[in-house]
Amino acid sequence: MAEQATAEPDWVRCERCAALVYGKRYARTLRVCPECGAHGRLTARQRLDQLLDPGSCRPLAAERGERPAQHDPLGFTDTRPYAERLSEARARTGMDEAVVCVRGAVGGQPVVAAAMDFRFLGGSLGLGVGSQITRAARCSLRQRVPLLLVTASGGARMQEGALSLMQMARTAQALAELDEAGVLVVSLVTDPTYGGVAASYATLADVILAEPGARMGFAGPRVIEQTTGRRLPEGFQTAEFLLAHGLVDDVVPRAELRPTLARLLRLRSGADAARGEDAPAAERPRPATVPRGPAVRVVRTADELPERDPWDAVRLARHPMRPTAADYAAHLLRDFQELHGDRLAADCPAVIGGPGLLDGRPIMLIGHHKGGPEAEERRRRRHGMATPAGHRKAARLMRTAAKLGMPVVTLIDTPGADPGPEAECGGQALAIAESLRLMARLPVPVVAVITGEGGSGGALALAVADRVLVTESGVYSVISPEGCAAILWKDPAAAPAAAAALRLHARDLLRLGIVDGVIPEPPDGAHKDHALAAALVGGAVSAALDELRPRAPDRLLAERRDRFHRFGRLEEEAAP
């Protein structure tokens, strides 16, 4: 059944600001109010036309042996028979169900897309929607093509009873199979997305994007207020609220969705990019070609490095003008897409991360962000001190990288983990411990670079890697010199003496085997030339990845284990 075309009226009144907008102008702005930015609802076909490359959209064929979903499995009647409601929805929308599933391309990258339509019984999740989402996931799995889910739903379809409830488990299982196969899943949350859809496939994606103002939750705000008797905060369950609470990766205006999706799809792994012989030329991925960074001579022996005053090294490592993780991402990566949130409670600003192309190859970059020279921004970024949410965000991105076969690169520059009472109540110690365990078993290459200050467990939480490098002015220690001086010297002023005793600068770190190499910096330090500093780091990381990429996962894990087990081995051998 073909979806009925919906002609735009001559004038449209914005539901948010009540402004009158000329219909043709409203269509040109993709149904976004030019006065207040409110995003109007789109039909499933409008959504696909907006997101997919022109001419690339093809409907999914029914699978062999697939049975159509029952129209009215319960013979349900409320004020009207359910069968009548279904017939009316089909006649009004021209759709068979509340979702349209197709194959297509975004920016030349192949994709399987499932777009929901709220006009069809409120986009409710029933047998028909569950069947089509599952079919789309199976097509994605069979073709090893990323799956794009565009959600708009009021929840499960009550007229189908517990059978509709089972669709949550059914679709979650389908996405679990894509996880096991390493196929990228992207979810686009549109307004509204509630109930069973929010509690299944909408939130199980690797990347969750949301349109501005889109609302998502398990229970609707009216139900929550009636049940709890509490007034909800302003903006509750909106995309912006969800972003601040770590539940979505980004809020993307409608006009920017296609290029954002194209960037993400270009980052899928080589395994995901493998296409069947039936793939049309327009859908085959285009290989990225980017000039490689400069060849960098990483120092491997301590004697090649000059002696230096440890306290001077500490002060240089802390220089507020040193490049941040965001600076490195901007200089080194193409198509970097920052992802946000721990999908649990918060988005820690002290840790940033996301996928990007380094020398044309996908990596997952994760790093501490101190905030640069501005005092206010440094405070907002917590001076690079990660909260438990920061460690959980990093862990989530690492798991995504492992699923997609994507190397992980971490940039470490932190005084240590957040020492505040909120962090302790949030399980700081457990968050660090789980990060250490996760990194120890990641089946992809991991390269860590200490780009400034490597402080205590907060630094180590991103440094359980196959190769650990440090920039020439970087430092790495179990505790800050000031903390060590206060505890052991009983005098914080003894920090310079503590810095010398801790052997925390690059030369000693290399001699002790803590790091595998030292990356040179621009003359007088990385803060003098961000572009050159980034090029040197990028060259060293690329060389390390070139060395590690051919290794099978079992070898990576064994060598990573041995790398860290060797610390203390001399003491073990000397024991009686």
Side-chain angles (χ1 to χ4, degrees), residues 227-267:
T227 303
T228 66
R230 296 170 56 187
R231 186 167 182 80
L232 297 175
E234 187 71 24
F236 183 72
Q237 292 184 327
T238 63
E240 295 74 15
F241 182 94
L242 298 171
L243 181 64
H245 288 78
L247 300 174
V248 300
D249 284 296
D250 208 356
V251 177
V252 183
R254 190 168 289 168
E256 298 175 20
L257 280 171
R258 187 187 288 181
T260 299
L261 289 170
R263 283 198 304 274
L264 287 168
L265 297 179
R266 278 196 294 268
L267 295 167

Side-chain angles (χ1 to χ4, degrees), residues 252-527:
V252 183
R254 190 168 289 168
E256 298 175 20
L257 280 171
R258 187 187 288 181
T260 299
L261 289 170
R263 283 198 304 274
L264 287 168
L265 297 179
R266 278 196 294 268
L267 295 167
R268 60 204 175 100
S269 69
D272 289 336
R275 301 286 292 139
E277 293 180 0
D278 63 331
E283 291 190 8
R284 292 173 190 153
R286 303 168 186 168
T289 55
V290 179
R292 289 184 63 87
V296 178
R297 184 179 179 277
V298 175
V299 178
R300 304 290 182 183
T301 60
D303 291 342
E304 296 182 67
L305 296 170
E307 293 276 3
R308 65 186 309 175
D309 180 79
W311 187 240
D312 287 344
V314 171
R315 290 188 294 184
L316 191 54
R318 294 174 175 173
H319 198 289
M321 293 296 293
R322 286 183 76 83
T324 66
D327 294 325
Y328 283 109
H331 284 291
L332 287 177
L333 301 185
R334 196 187 90 184
D335 291 342
F336 176 66
Q337 177 66 45
E338 184 178 353
L339 304 180
H340 296 268
D342 64 352
R343 298 273 178 92
L344 181 65
D347 179 39
C348 174
V351 175
I352 70 166
L357 295 173
L358 176 66
D359 294 330
R361 296 177 299 192
I363 67 163
M364 184 68 75
L365 182 74
I366 304 167
H368 297 108
H369 195 328
K370 282 187 171 179
E374 300 297 329
E376 183 177 346
E377 179 65 2
R378 290 174 77 85
R379 284 192 295 271
R380 189 181 79 81
R381 296 283 182 178
R382 300 176 182 269
H383 302 273
M385 295 186 291
T387 64
H391 297 302
R392 288 193 294 262
K393 173 166 67 173
R396 179 174 75 83
L397 299 183
M398 291 178 196
R399 285 191 290 268
T400 299
K403 168 185 169 176
L404 301 176
M406 189 181 295
V408 172
V409 175
T410 65
L411 303 178
I412 297 157
D413 186 13
T414 179
D418 188 331
E422 295 86 358
E424 288 299 313
C425 291
Q428 183 70 285
L430 176 60
I432 293 172
E434 289 187 334
S435 182
L436 302 180
R437 179 172 61 184
L438 172 66
M439 293 194 77
R441 303 303 297 169
L442 284 177
V444 293
V446 184
V447 176
V449 183
I450 302 158
T451 60
E453 192 175 9
S456 191
L460 183 62
L462 293 186
V464 182
D466 303 298
R467 297 291 181 270
V468 181
L469 307 174
V470 63
T471 58
E472 192 176 351
S473 298
V475 297
Y476 194 15
S477 176
V478 67
I479 192 172
S480 70
E482 295 88 345
C484 180
I487 294 171
L488 299 182
W489 273 261
K490 314 299 183 187
D491 180 9
L502 286 168
R503 303 288 190 263
L504 46 64
H505 61 87
R507 190 173 192 272
D508 280 329
L509 294 172
L510 190 56
R511 181 179 60 81
L512 292 168
I514 302 297
V515 301
D516 302 296
V518 178
I519 304 172
E521 293 189 15
D524 301 320
H527 61 284

